[in-house]
Structures are given as structure tokens and as C-alpha cells.
Amino acid sequence: MSRHEGAVPFDEPVFAEPWQAEAFAMTVALHDKGLFSWSEWAEALSAQVKQPGAASDGHDYYEHWLAALEKLLAAKGLAAKPDVDAMAQAWERAAHATPHGKPILLENDPEFAC
């Protein structure tokens, strides 16, 4: 087997969606800041992926990735689920209020309080 066999082809995206790359980068950055160890992360992700209902083809891998990150941060007292959910809803409202082609900014949320 050559060292390139099985490698990700350069002409194909590594992530199917931009949010997947962002979730990956956020996890690496939070680890680099010392908020959790790789073994803690691996345990959290493994537990999430092994839950009933996970797709056998892995198409939902990054959904599990994000859920594992949210649970790990909540367990460490860094980001409570209600706070994460509230922020996600604010971004969703901002996305709906943002004109097509313009950057989505949290300030575009009609309920945003300065």
C-alpha cells in the first residue's frame, strides 16, 4: 500500500458543508486552549456516534460531532445547553432576516439586544 492510498483526494472537499469545517476547527481550538483533552474528546464523540439511530453510512457524522462538542462543553460547565440553544435560535433568526447574498451577522437578529 502506498502512502497515498486511501488518502482524501485533493479534488474533493474534505467537508460536505462549511459548518462541518467550523465545528472541526472549533473543537481543535478549544482543545488547544486546554478546555479538554483528546481522550475526553474521543470518549464524548465515541459515545455520541454509538447512540441508537446513527446512520450506518456515517452521513450524520458531523451532526454527532457537534452534539458531542455541545455535551462535552455543557458537562464541563463551559456552555450550558439552554445558552447554546438560545444562540442557535438567534443565528437562525438572523439568517432569515439577512438579505440573500449578504453576510449573516448576529446583529441581524430582530430580537438582538445591544
Side-chain angles (χ1 to χ4, degrees), residues 48-96:
Q48 190 65 38
V49 171
K50 290 178 183 176
Q51 288 191 354
S56 60
D57 66 358
H59 76 269
D60 57 353
Y61 180 75
Y62 279 100
E63 292 170 27
H64 292 296
W65 181 289
L66 187 57
L69 182 59
E70 290 175 0
K71 287 180 181 180
L72 182 57
L73 295 177
K76 292 191 155 285
L78 300 169
K81 181 158 176 39
D83 295 336
V84 172
D85 291 345
M87 187 61 67
Q89 291 169 357
W91 279 108
E92 187 71 25
R93 288 188 304 267
H96 288 293

Side-chain angles (χ1 to χ4, degrees), residues 36-51 68-69 71-72:
F36 50 82
S37 69
W38 277 128
S39 60
E40 289 175 304
W41 168 246
E43 185 178 318
L45 180 58
S46 178
Q48 190 65 38
V49 171
K50 290 178 183 176
Q51 288 191 354
L69 182 59
K71 287 180 181 180
L72 182 57

Side-chain angles (χ1 to χ4, degrees), residues 16-35:
E17 301 285 336
W19 71 265
Q20 296 171 346
E22 292 168 358
F24 181 90
M26 189 180 330
T27 302
V28 172
L30 292 171
H31 167 265
D32 287 348
K33 289 189 178 284
L35 298 178

